[in-house]
Short mmCIF file of all heavy atoms in Angstrom, two decimals:
data_model
loop_
_atom_site.label_atom_id
_atom_site.label_comp_id
_atom_site.label_asym_id
_atom_site.label_seq_id
_atom_site.Cartn_x
_atom_site.Cartn_y
_atom_site.Cartn_z
N MET U 236 -5.93 -16.28 3.48
CA MET U 236 -5.26 -14.97 3.14
C MET U 236 -4.92 -14.94 1.74
O MET U 236 -4.50 -15.80 1.15
CB MET U 236 -4.06 -14.75 4.05
CG MET U 236 -3.36 -13.46 3.87
SD MET U 236 -1.97 -13.15 5.06
CE MET U 236 -2.93 -12.41 6.38
N SER U 237 -5.27 -13.82 1.11
CA SER U 237 -5.01 -13.67 -0.34
C SER U 237 -3.57 -13.41 -0.70
O SER U 237 -2.84 -12.98 0.27
CB SER U 237 -5.85 -12.49 -0.94
OG SER U 237 -5.29 -11.34 -0.56
N GLU U 238 -3.11 -13.78 -1.85
CA GLU U 238 -1.75 -13.54 -2.28
C GLU U 238 -1.36 -12.11 -2.08
O GLU U 238 -0.31 -11.71 -1.78
CB GLU U 238 -1.69 -14.02 -3.74
CG GLU U 238 -0.34 -13.69 -4.34
CD GLU U 238 -0.33 -13.95 -5.87
OE1 GLU U 238 -0.96 -14.89 -6.28
OE2 GLU U 238 0.38 -13.25 -6.55
N THR U 239 -2.27 -11.14 -2.48
CA THR U 239 -2.12 -9.80 -2.39
C THR U 239 -1.74 -9.31 -1.01
O THR U 239 -0.89 -8.48 -0.87
CB THR U 239 -3.35 -9.02 -2.96
OG1 THR U 239 -3.62 -9.39 -4.26
CG2 THR U 239 -3.08 -7.51 -3.00
N ALA U 240 -2.47 -9.76 -0.05
CA ALA U 240 -2.25 -9.33 1.33
C ALA U 240 -0.93 -9.72 1.88
O ALA U 240 -0.40 -9.02 2.87
CB ALA U 240 -3.34 -9.92 2.24
N GLU U 241 -0.17 -10.61 1.33
CA GLU U 241 1.06 -11.14 1.84
C GLU U 241 2.23 -10.36 1.17
O GLU U 241 3.36 -10.46 1.62
CB GLU U 241 1.28 -12.54 1.48
CG GLU U 241 0.25 -13.41 2.23
CD GLU U 241 0.27 -14.95 1.72
OE1 GLU U 241 1.15 -15.22 0.92
OE2 GLU U 241 -0.62 -15.71 2.19
N LEU U 242 1.95 -9.45 0.29
CA LEU U 242 3.02 -8.64 -0.42
C LEU U 242 3.54 -7.58 0.58
O LEU U 242 2.82 -6.99 1.34
CB LEU U 242 2.45 -7.98 -1.66
CG LEU U 242 1.95 -8.87 -2.76
CD1 LEU U 242 1.38 -8.07 -3.82
CD2 LEU U 242 3.17 -9.75 -3.28
N GLY U 243 4.86 -7.25 0.36
CA GLY U 243 5.38 -6.16 1.09
C GLY U 243 5.04 -4.83 0.35
O GLY U 243 4.35 -4.92 -0.81
N TYR U 244 5.32 -3.69 0.87
CA TYR U 244 4.87 -2.41 0.32
C TYR U 244 5.45 -2.25 -1.08
O TYR U 244 4.63 -1.91 -2.01
CB TYR U 244 5.34 -1.32 1.26
CG TYR U 244 5.06 0.02 0.57
CD1 TYR U 244 3.87 0.56 0.57
CD2 TYR U 244 6.13 0.70 -0.11
CE1 TYR U 244 3.55 1.74 -0.14
CE2 TYR U 244 5.85 1.89 -0.74
CZ TYR U 244 4.61 2.50 -0.78
OH TYR U 244 4.37 3.59 -1.39
N GLU U 245 6.71 -2.49 -1.30
CA GLU U 245 7.24 -2.21 -2.63
C GLU U 245 6.75 -3.16 -3.66
O GLU U 245 6.42 -2.74 -4.74
CB GLU U 245 8.84 -2.34 -2.53
CG GLU U 245 9.50 -1.25 -1.73
CD GLU U 245 9.48 -1.40 -0.32
OE1 GLU U 245 9.02 -2.48 0.27
OE2 GLU U 245 9.98 -0.49 0.44
N GLN U 246 6.52 -4.37 -3.29
CA GLN U 246 5.93 -5.39 -4.24
C GLN U 246 4.52 -4.96 -4.59
O GLN U 246 4.10 -4.97 -5.78
CB GLN U 246 5.90 -6.75 -3.58
CG GLN U 246 7.24 -7.40 -3.41
CD GLN U 246 7.18 -8.62 -2.59
OE1 GLN U 246 6.45 -8.73 -1.53
NE2 GLN U 246 7.90 -9.66 -3.00
N ALA U 247 3.74 -4.58 -3.63
CA ALA U 247 2.28 -4.18 -3.83
C ALA U 247 2.32 -2.94 -4.72
O ALA U 247 1.53 -2.82 -5.65
CB ALA U 247 1.53 -4.02 -2.59
N ARG U 248 3.17 -1.94 -4.42
CA ARG U 248 3.23 -0.79 -5.19
C ARG U 248 3.62 -1.02 -6.62
O ARG U 248 2.98 -0.52 -7.53
CB ARG U 248 4.27 0.24 -4.56
CG ARG U 248 4.35 1.60 -5.28
CD ARG U 248 5.69 2.25 -5.01
NE ARG U 248 6.78 1.33 -5.44
CZ ARG U 248 7.97 1.35 -4.81
NH1 ARG U 248 8.17 2.10 -3.72
NH2 ARG U 248 8.84 0.58 -5.16
N ASP U 249 4.58 -1.85 -6.85
CA ASP U 249 5.05 -2.20 -8.24
C ASP U 249 3.92 -2.89 -9.03
O ASP U 249 3.68 -2.58 -10.17
CB ASP U 249 6.34 -3.11 -8.19
CG ASP U 249 7.51 -2.28 -7.73
OD1 ASP U 249 7.43 -1.06 -7.63
OD2 ASP U 249 8.52 -2.93 -7.40
N LYS U 250 3.16 -3.74 -8.33
CA LYS U 250 2.17 -4.48 -9.03
C LYS U 250 0.99 -3.48 -9.33
O LYS U 250 0.29 -3.61 -10.34
CB LYS U 250 1.56 -5.70 -8.21
CG LYS U 250 2.58 -6.80 -8.18
CD LYS U 250 1.96 -8.02 -7.42
CE LYS U 250 2.96 -9.19 -7.44
NZ LYS U 250 2.91 -9.93 -8.69
N LEU U 251 0.66 -2.57 -8.37
CA LEU U 251 -0.31 -1.61 -8.60
C LEU U 251 0.10 -0.67 -9.83
O LEU U 251 -0.79 -0.33 -10.67
CB LEU U 251 -0.52 -0.67 -7.36
CG LEU U 251 -1.49 0.38 -7.48
CD1 LEU U 251 -2.96 -0.13 -7.80
CD2 LEU U 251 -1.61 1.17 -6.16
N VAL U 252 1.32 -0.33 -10.04
CA VAL U 252 1.83 0.42 -11.13
C VAL U 252 1.51 -0.40 -12.48
O VAL U 252 1.05 0.16 -13.43
CB VAL U 252 3.31 0.78 -11.04
CG1 VAL U 252 3.82 1.30 -12.37
CG2 VAL U 252 3.47 1.80 -9.91
N GLU U 253 1.76 -1.69 -12.44
CA GLU U 253 1.46 -2.62 -13.55
C GLU U 253 -0.02 -2.49 -13.95
O GLU U 253 -0.34 -2.51 -15.08
CB GLU U 253 1.96 -3.97 -13.28
CG GLU U 253 3.45 -4.20 -13.23
CD GLU U 253 3.84 -5.56 -12.78
OE1 GLU U 253 3.01 -6.52 -13.03
OE2 GLU U 253 4.95 -5.71 -12.22
N VAL U 254 -0.79 -2.67 -12.90
CA VAL U 254 -2.25 -2.68 -13.15
C VAL U 254 -2.70 -1.36 -13.80
O VAL U 254 -3.47 -1.34 -14.74
CB VAL U 254 -3.01 -2.86 -11.80
CG1 VAL U 254 -4.51 -2.60 -11.96
CG2 VAL U 254 -2.83 -4.26 -11.27
N VAL U 255 -2.26 -0.27 -13.23
CA VAL U 255 -2.56 1.05 -13.80
C VAL U 255 -2.17 1.11 -15.30
O VAL U 255 -2.92 1.62 -16.18
CB VAL U 255 -1.98 2.21 -13.00
CG1 VAL U 255 -2.13 3.48 -13.66
CG2 VAL U 255 -2.59 2.24 -11.65
N ARG U 256 -0.94 0.76 -15.59
CA ARG U 256 -0.43 0.72 -16.94
C ARG U 256 -1.39 -0.08 -17.91
O ARG U 256 -1.61 0.33 -18.98
CB ARG U 256 1.00 0.14 -17.06
CG ARG U 256 2.03 1.20 -16.55
CD ARG U 256 3.47 0.70 -16.81
NE ARG U 256 4.43 1.64 -16.18
CZ ARG U 256 5.51 1.29 -15.57
NH1 ARG U 256 5.79 0.06 -15.39
NH2 ARG U 256 6.27 2.22 -15.03
N GLU U 257 -1.67 -1.24 -17.41
CA GLU U 257 -2.63 -2.11 -18.24
C GLU U 257 -3.91 -1.54 -18.52
O GLU U 257 -4.45 -1.57 -19.60
CB GLU U 257 -2.81 -3.50 -17.58
CG GLU U 257 -1.62 -4.41 -17.62
CD GLU U 257 -1.89 -5.75 -17.03
OE1 GLU U 257 -2.82 -6.47 -17.56
OE2 GLU U 257 -1.12 -6.17 -16.04
N LEU U 258 -4.46 -0.85 -17.41
CA LEU U 258 -5.76 -0.22 -17.61
C LEU U 258 -5.70 0.98 -18.55
O LEU U 258 -6.52 1.16 -19.40
CB LEU U 258 -6.36 0.17 -16.25
CG LEU U 258 -6.89 -0.85 -15.37
CD1 LEU U 258 -7.12 -0.35 -13.96
CD2 LEU U 258 -8.14 -1.54 -15.98
N GLU U 259 -4.57 1.78 -18.39
CA GLU U 259 -4.32 2.90 -19.31
C GLU U 259 -4.15 2.51 -20.70
O GLU U 259 -4.46 3.31 -21.60
CB GLU U 259 -3.25 3.76 -18.78
CG GLU U 259 -3.61 4.55 -17.40
CD GLU U 259 -2.46 5.37 -16.92
OE1 GLU U 259 -1.33 5.10 -17.29
OE2 GLU U 259 -2.72 6.28 -16.12
N ALA U 260 -3.52 1.32 -20.90
CA ALA U 260 -3.28 0.94 -22.30
C ALA U 260 -4.52 0.65 -22.99
O ALA U 260 -4.60 0.71 -24.21
CB ALA U 260 -2.37 -0.28 -22.28
N GLY U 261 -5.61 0.20 -22.32
CA GLY U 261 -6.85 -0.09 -22.95
C GLY U 261 -6.76 -1.40 -23.73
O GLY U 261 -5.92 -2.21 -23.52
N GLY U 262 -7.82 -1.60 -24.50
CA GLY U 262 -7.88 -2.80 -25.29
C GLY U 262 -8.42 -4.05 -24.56
O GLY U 262 -8.38 -5.17 -25.18
N LEU U 263 -8.86 -3.83 -23.27
CA LEU U 263 -9.39 -4.93 -22.54
C LEU U 263 -10.86 -5.01 -22.61
O LEU U 263 -11.53 -3.95 -22.79
CB LEU U 263 -8.90 -4.76 -21.13
CG LEU U 263 -7.39 -4.67 -20.84
CD1 LEU U 263 -7.18 -4.29 -19.40
CD2 LEU U 263 -6.72 -6.01 -21.15
N SER U 264 -11.38 -6.11 -22.37
CA SER U 264 -12.82 -6.30 -22.25
C SER U 264 -13.26 -5.70 -20.93
O SER U 264 -12.48 -5.38 -20.10
CB SER U 264 -13.17 -7.82 -22.27
OG SER U 264 -12.77 -8.44 -21.03
N LEU U 265 -14.53 -5.52 -20.88
CA LEU U 265 -15.09 -4.95 -19.67
C LEU U 265 -14.79 -5.79 -18.41
O LEU U 265 -14.39 -5.33 -17.31
CB LEU U 265 -16.58 -4.71 -19.79
CG LEU U 265 -17.37 -4.20 -18.45
CD1 LEU U 265 -16.73 -2.87 -18.15
CD2 LEU U 265 -18.82 -4.15 -18.75
N GLU U 266 -14.96 -7.14 -18.59
CA GLU U 266 -14.65 -8.04 -17.50
C GLU U 266 -13.19 -8.00 -17.11
O GLU U 266 -12.83 -8.04 -15.92
CB GLU U 266 -15.01 -9.51 -17.93
CG GLU U 266 -16.45 -9.80 -17.76
CD GLU U 266 -16.97 -9.58 -16.33
OE1 GLU U 266 -16.35 -10.10 -15.32
OE2 GLU U 266 -18.03 -9.02 -16.20
N GLN U 267 -12.32 -7.97 -18.12
CA GLN U 267 -10.86 -7.88 -17.83
C GLN U 267 -10.55 -6.55 -17.09
O GLN U 267 -9.79 -6.52 -16.10
CB GLN U 267 -9.98 -7.95 -19.09
CG GLN U 267 -10.02 -9.33 -19.71
CD GLN U 267 -9.42 -9.27 -21.09
OE1 GLN U 267 -9.67 -8.34 -21.85
NE2 GLN U 267 -8.68 -10.39 -21.35
N SER U 268 -11.13 -5.44 -17.57
CA SER U 268 -10.91 -4.17 -16.86
C SER U 268 -11.45 -4.20 -15.39
O SER U 268 -10.76 -3.57 -14.60
CB SER U 268 -11.66 -3.07 -17.69
OG SER U 268 -11.07 -2.88 -18.92
N LEU U 269 -12.56 -4.68 -15.23
CA LEU U 269 -13.10 -4.85 -13.90
C LEU U 269 -12.30 -5.70 -13.00
O LEU U 269 -12.05 -5.34 -11.81
CB LEU U 269 -14.58 -5.38 -13.85
CG LEU U 269 -15.65 -4.41 -14.38
CD1 LEU U 269 -17.02 -5.07 -14.60
CD2 LEU U 269 -15.81 -3.20 -13.51
N ALA U 270 -11.80 -6.83 -13.40
CA ALA U 270 -10.94 -7.64 -12.69
C ALA U 270 -9.68 -6.91 -12.32
O ALA U 270 -9.18 -6.98 -11.16
CB ALA U 270 -10.66 -8.94 -13.39
N LEU U 271 -9.08 -6.20 -13.22
CA LEU U 271 -7.88 -5.47 -12.95
C LEU U 271 -8.12 -4.33 -11.96
O LEU U 271 -7.34 -4.03 -11.05
CB LEU U 271 -7.30 -4.83 -14.26
CG LEU U 271 -6.33 -5.67 -15.00
CD1 LEU U 271 -5.96 -5.03 -16.32
CD2 LEU U 271 -5.10 -6.09 -14.19
N TRP U 272 -9.25 -3.62 -12.10
CA TRP U 272 -9.68 -2.59 -11.18
C TRP U 272 -9.75 -3.15 -9.75
O TRP U 272 -9.23 -2.55 -8.78
CB TRP U 272 -10.99 -1.99 -11.60
CG TRP U 272 -11.45 -0.85 -10.68
CD1 TRP U 272 -12.27 -1.05 -9.55
CD2 TRP U 272 -11.05 0.46 -10.73
NE1 TRP U 272 -12.36 0.20 -8.95
CE2 TRP U 272 -11.71 1.15 -9.62
CE3 TRP U 272 -10.35 1.22 -11.59
CZ2 TRP U 272 -11.49 2.44 -9.38
CZ3 TRP U 272 -10.11 2.55 -11.34
CH2 TRP U 272 -10.75 3.21 -10.24
N GLU U 273 -10.38 -4.30 -9.66
CA GLU U 273 -10.56 -4.94 -8.32
C GLU U 273 -9.18 -5.36 -7.73
O GLU U 273 -8.86 -5.12 -6.56
CB GLU U 273 -11.44 -6.14 -8.38
CG GLU U 273 -12.87 -5.81 -8.64
CD GLU U 273 -13.76 -6.88 -8.98
OE1 GLU U 273 -13.25 -8.03 -9.34
OE2 GLU U 273 -15.05 -6.75 -8.93
N LYS U 274 -8.32 -5.83 -8.55
CA LYS U 274 -6.97 -6.19 -8.14
C LYS U 274 -6.24 -4.91 -7.65
O LYS U 274 -5.51 -4.91 -6.61
CB LYS U 274 -6.19 -6.82 -9.25
CG LYS U 274 -4.77 -7.26 -8.88
CD LYS U 274 -4.10 -7.92 -10.04
CE LYS U 274 -2.70 -8.41 -9.70
NZ LYS U 274 -1.97 -9.02 -10.87
N GLY U 275 -6.37 -3.84 -8.41
CA GLY U 275 -5.71 -2.53 -8.11
C GLY U 275 -6.23 -2.06 -6.75
O GLY U 275 -5.53 -1.56 -5.91
N GLU U 276 -7.54 -2.19 -6.49
CA GLU U 276 -8.02 -1.76 -5.21
C GLU U 276 -7.46 -2.58 -3.99
O GLU U 276 -7.16 -1.98 -3.01
CB GLU U 276 -9.68 -1.93 -5.20
CG GLU U 276 -10.33 -0.89 -6.09
CD GLU U 276 -10.21 0.53 -5.58
OE1 GLU U 276 -10.34 0.68 -4.27
OE2 GLU U 276 -10.14 1.46 -6.36
N GLN U 277 -7.41 -3.73 -4.28
CA GLN U 277 -6.69 -4.64 -3.24
C GLN U 277 -5.30 -4.29 -2.98
O GLN U 277 -4.83 -4.20 -1.77
CB GLN U 277 -6.81 -6.08 -3.61
CG GLN U 277 -8.18 -6.73 -3.66
CD GLN U 277 -8.17 -8.24 -4.17
OE1 GLN U 277 -7.18 -8.63 -4.78
NE2 GLN U 277 -9.26 -8.88 -4.04
N LEU U 278 -4.58 -4.05 -4.01
CA LEU U 278 -3.18 -3.70 -3.96
C LEU U 278 -2.97 -2.24 -3.25
O LEU U 278 -2.13 -2.01 -2.41
CB LEU U 278 -2.47 -3.58 -5.30
CG LEU U 278 -2.30 -4.96 -6.01
CD1 LEU U 278 -1.98 -4.79 -7.46
CD2 LEU U 278 -1.20 -5.82 -5.25
N ALA U 279 -3.98 -1.31 -3.55
CA ALA U 279 -3.96 -0.05 -2.89
C ALA U 279 -4.17 -0.17 -1.42
O ALA U 279 -3.54 0.53 -0.55
CB ALA U 279 -4.96 0.83 -3.59
N LYS U 280 -5.09 -1.12 -1.01
CA LYS U 280 -5.28 -1.32 0.41
C LYS U 280 -4.09 -1.85 1.14
O LYS U 280 -3.83 -1.52 2.28
CB LYS U 280 -6.57 -2.17 0.57
CG LYS U 280 -7.84 -1.56 0.32
CD LYS U 280 -9.03 -2.48 0.47
CE LYS U 280 -10.34 -1.78 -0.02
NZ LYS U 280 -11.40 -2.71 0.13
N VAL U 281 -3.42 -2.76 0.44
CA VAL U 281 -2.19 -3.26 1.07
C VAL U 281 -1.14 -2.21 1.27
O VAL U 281 -0.59 -2.10 2.31
CB VAL U 281 -1.55 -4.46 0.15
CG1 VAL U 281 -0.19 -4.81 0.63
CG2 VAL U 281 -2.54 -5.60 0.12
N CYS U 282 -1.01 -1.27 0.24
CA CYS U 282 -0.04 -0.21 0.34
C CYS U 282 -0.44 0.72 1.51
O CYS U 282 0.39 1.14 2.36
CB CYS U 282 -0.02 0.56 -0.87
SG CYS U 282 0.81 -0.26 -2.28
N GLU U 283 -1.73 0.94 1.60
CA GLU U 283 -2.27 1.88 2.68
C GLU U 283 -2.00 1.26 4.07
O GLU U 283 -1.55 1.89 5.00
CB GLU U 283 -3.75 2.14 2.55
CG GLU U 283 -4.12 3.12 1.43
CD GLU U 283 -5.59 3.23 1.24
OE1 GLU U 283 -6.37 3.07 2.21
OE2 GLU U 283 -5.96 3.54 0.10
N HIS U 284 -2.19 -0.16 4.21
CA HIS U 284 -1.95 -0.78 5.39
C HIS U 284 -0.47 -0.61 5.85
O HIS U 284 -0.13 -0.34 7.04
CB HIS U 284 -2.38 -2.20 5.29
CG HIS U 284 -2.03 -3.08 6.46
ND1 HIS U 284 -2.70 -2.99 7.58
CD2 HIS U 284 -1.07 -3.95 6.70
CE1 HIS U 284 -2.24 -3.75 8.51
NE2 HIS U 284 -1.17 -4.45 8.01
N HIS U 285 0.40 -0.89 4.91
CA HIS U 285 1.89 -0.75 5.20
C HIS U 285 2.29 0.65 5.59
O HIS U 285 3.07 0.84 6.49
CB HIS U 285 2.73 -1.21 3.96
CG HIS U 285 2.78 -2.68 3.75
ND1 HIS U 285 3.36 -3.54 4.65
CD2 HIS U 285 2.29 -3.42 2.80
CE1 HIS U 285 3.26 -4.74 4.27
NE2 HIS U 285 2.59 -4.77 3.11
N LEU U 286 1.73 1.73 4.80
CA LEU U 286 2.08 3.03 5.15
C LEU U 286 1.44 3.49 6.48
O LEU U 286 2.11 4.19 7.26
CB LEU U 286 1.47 3.90 4.08
CG LEU U 286 2.17 3.88 2.73
CD1 LEU U 286 1.36 4.67 1.65
CD2 LEU U 286 3.66 4.27 2.80
N GLU U 287 0.25 2.95 6.89
CA GLU U 287 -0.27 3.29 8.21
C GLU U 287 0.57 2.66 9.27
O GLU U 287 0.92 3.35 10.29
CB GLU U 287 -1.71 2.71 8.34
CG GLU U 287 -2.38 3.11 9.68
CD GLU U 287 -2.49 4.57 9.93
OE1 GLU U 287 -2.60 5.35 8.98
OE2 GLU U 287 -2.36 4.91 11.10
N GLY U 288 1.08 1.47 9.03
CA GLY U 288 1.99 0.76 10.04
C GLY U 288 3.27 1.64 10.19
O GLY U 288 3.75 1.86 11.28
N ALA U 289 3.82 2.13 9.06
CA ALA U 289 5.06 2.94 9.12
C ALA U 289 4.76 4.24 9.91
O ALA U 289 5.57 4.63 10.67
CB ALA U 289 5.56 3.21 7.72
N ARG U 290 3.64 4.78 9.55
CA ARG U 290 3.28 6.07 10.22
C ARG U 290 3.16 5.94 11.77
O ARG U 290 3.62 6.71 12.53
CB ARG U 290 1.93 6.59 9.71
CG ARG U 290 1.49 7.94 10.18
CD ARG U 290 0.17 8.41 9.49
NE ARG U 290 0.39 8.53 8.08
CZ ARG U 290 -0.29 7.77 7.26
NH1 ARG U 290 -1.17 6.83 7.65
NH2 ARG U 290 -0.11 7.94 5.95
N GLU U 291 2.57 4.83 12.20
CA GLU U 291 2.43 4.49 13.60
C GLU U 291 3.85 4.34 14.24
O GLU U 291 4.04 4.81 15.37
CB GLU U 291 1.59 3.30 13.83
CG GLU U 291 0.13 3.54 13.49
CD GLU U 291 -0.72 2.30 13.58
OE1 GLU U 291 -0.20 1.17 13.89
OE2 GLU U 291 -1.92 2.27 13.26
N ARG U 292 4.67 3.68 13.53
CA ARG U 292 6.08 3.48 14.11
C ARG U 292 6.80 4.77 14.18
O ARG U 292 7.55 4.96 15.16
CB ARG U 292 6.80 2.48 13.20
CG ARG U 292 6.34 1.01 13.30
CD ARG U 292 7.09 0.09 12.40
NE ARG U 292 8.44 0.11 12.66
CZ ARG U 292 9.32 -0.47 11.79
NH1 ARG U 292 8.97 -1.03 10.70
NH2 ARG U 292 10.63 -0.44 12.07
N ILE U 293 6.61 5.58 13.19
CA ILE U 293 7.31 6.92 13.27
C ILE U 293 6.79 7.74 14.38
O ILE U 293 7.53 8.43 15.16
CB ILE U 293 7.19 7.76 11.92
CG1 ILE U 293 8.03 6.98 10.83
CG2 ILE U 293 7.59 9.10 12.06
CD1 ILE U 293 7.78 7.42 9.44
N GLU U 294 5.39 7.74 14.54
CA GLU U 294 4.83 8.57 15.58
C GLU U 294 5.28 8.05 16.98
O GLU U 294 5.59 8.85 17.90
CB GLU U 294 3.35 8.49 15.50
CG GLU U 294 2.86 9.33 14.28
CD GLU U 294 1.35 9.24 14.15
OE1 GLU U 294 0.56 8.40 14.85
OE2 GLU U 294 0.78 9.83 13.17
N ALA U 295 5.44 6.72 17.09
CA ALA U 295 5.89 6.22 18.40
C ALA U 295 7.28 6.49 18.67
O ALA U 295 7.65 6.83 19.80
CB ALA U 295 5.71 4.62 18.35
N ALA U 296 8.17 6.55 17.59
CA ALA U 296 9.53 6.81 17.83
C ALA U 296 9.67 8.34 18.16
O ALA U 296 10.38 8.66 19.06
CB ALA U 296 10.32 6.58 16.51
N LEU U 297 8.94 9.17 17.54
CA LEU U 297 8.95 10.65 17.82
C LEU U 297 8.42 10.93 19.32
O LEU U 297 9.01 11.71 20.01
CB LEU U 297 8.15 11.45 16.87
CG LEU U 297 8.68 11.47 15.42
CD1 LEU U 297 7.73 12.24 14.49
CD2 LEU U 297 10.01 12.27 15.43
N SER U 298 7.42 10.21 19.67
CA SER U 298 6.85 10.35 21.02
C SER U 298 7.87 9.96 21.99
O SER U 298 8.10 10.60 23.00
CB SER U 298 5.58 9.48 21.11
OG SER U 298 5.10 9.61 22.46
N SER U 299 8.63 8.89 21.80
CA SER U 299 9.67 8.40 22.62
C SER U 299 10.80 9.37 22.73
O SER U 299 11.24 9.61 23.87
CB SER U 299 10.23 7.02 22.13
OG SER U 299 11.34 6.59 22.86
N VAL U 300 11.14 9.94 21.64
CA VAL U 300 12.29 11.01 21.69
C VAL U 300 11.77 12.26 22.48
O VAL U 300 12.50 12.79 23.21
CB VAL U 300 12.64 11.41 20.20
CG1 VAL U 300 13.54 12.60 20.18
CG2 VAL U 300 13.34 10.30 19.61
N GLU U 301 10.49 12.65 22.26
CA GLU U 301 9.99 13.75 22.99
C GLU U 301 9.89 13.45 24.44
O GLU U 301 10.21 14.36 25.29
CB GLU U 301 8.60 14.18 22.40
CG GLU U 301 8.62 14.84 21.07
CD GLU U 301 7.25 14.99 20.47
OE1 GLU U 301 6.23 14.66 21.13
OE2 GLU U 301 7.21 15.47 19.26
N ASP U 302 9.54 12.27 24.87
CA ASP U 302 9.43 11.89 26.31
C ASP U 302 10.87 11.91 26.78
O ASP U 302 10.99 12.35 28.04
CB ASP U 302 8.85 10.51 26.42
CG ASP U 302 7.34 10.44 26.20
OD1 ASP U 302 6.73 11.51 26.10
OD2 ASP U 302 6.80 9.38 25.98
N GLU U 303 11.81 11.48 26.22
CA GLU U 303 13.17 11.43 26.66
C GLU U 303 13.69 12.86 26.83
O GLU U 303 14.40 13.27 27.82
CB GLU U 303 14.18 10.70 25.75
CG GLU U 303 13.92 9.17 25.71
CD GLU U 303 14.79 8.47 24.79
OE1 GLU U 303 15.72 9.09 24.22
OE2 GLU U 303 14.54 7.28 24.49
N SER U 304 13.36 13.77 25.87
CA SER U 304 13.72 15.25 26.00
C SER U 304 13.10 15.87 27.19
O SER U 304 13.72 16.64 27.89
CB SER U 304 13.37 15.93 24.72
OG SER U 304 14.08 15.40 23.64
N SER U 305 11.81 15.55 27.42
CA SER U 305 11.07 16.14 28.49
C SER U 305 11.61 15.66 29.89
O SER U 305 11.69 16.39 30.87
CB SER U 305 9.61 15.78 28.42
OG SER U 305 9.05 16.38 27.28
N ASN U 306 11.96 14.46 29.97
CA ASN U 306 12.43 13.91 31.25
C ASN U 306 13.88 14.23 31.48
O ASN U 306 14.34 14.21 32.68
CB ASN U 306 12.38 12.36 31.18
CG ASN U 306 10.90 11.90 31.25
OD1 ASN U 306 10.04 12.53 31.74
ND2 ASN U 306 10.73 10.64 30.64
N GLY U 307 14.61 14.62 30.49
CA GLY U 307 16.02 14.94 30.62
C GLY U 307 16.26 16.40 31.05
O GLY U 307 17.35 16.72 31.43
N GLN U 308 15.23 17.18 31.07
CA GLN U 308 15.47 18.64 31.40
C GLN U 308 15.29 18.90 32.80
O GLN U 308 14.54 18.34 33.60
CB GLN U 308 14.42 19.48 30.57
CG GLN U 308 14.91 19.46 29.10
CD GLN U 308 13.87 20.41 28.31
OE1 GLN U 308 12.85 20.84 28.80
NE2 GLN U 308 14.19 20.55 27.07
#
């Protein structure tokens, strides 16, 4: 498992912000830019994974509340 995959959402998001800043600052070689781009893509996937998990939990909680409301009437 890569170091990136083990990060929490906030950590991955903060590292992604750093990557974007470095790329925007410029002055990097093509290889350095590509390596940063790849790292950014990995970090974005980690963020998406965490957000999808949160979305699923919210949907499950809302569904549970709706079920309780329906059964209580």
Side-chain angles (χ1 to χ4, degrees):
M236 181 175 269
S237 74
E238 172 188 330
T239 303
E241 297 172 3
L242 296 174
Y244 172 77
E245 290 82 4
Q246 293 169 316
R248 182 202 58 214
D249 292 346
K250 287 185 178 284
L251 181 56
V252 168
E253 290 174 26
V254 166
V255 170
R256 284 188 186 140
E257 287 183 58
L258 286 170
E259 288 178 342
L263 302 170
S264 70
L265 178 59
E266 278 302 314
Q267 291 170 320
S268 295
L269 286 173
L271 273 177
W272 179 269
E273 290 169 344
K274 182 178 179 181
E276 287 291 324
Q277 290 173 347
L278 290 165
K280 286 179 185 177
V281 170
C282 289
E283 287 177 24
H284 176 75
H285 284 293
L286 291 173
E287 183 59 34
R290 186 176 300 114
E291 289 172 3
R292 290 176 60 193
I293 290 169
E294 289 173 358
L297 289 175
S298 176
S299 173
V300 168
E301 289 173 0
D302 288 346
E303 288 176 11
S304 296
S305 297
N306 292 332
Q308 292 181 350

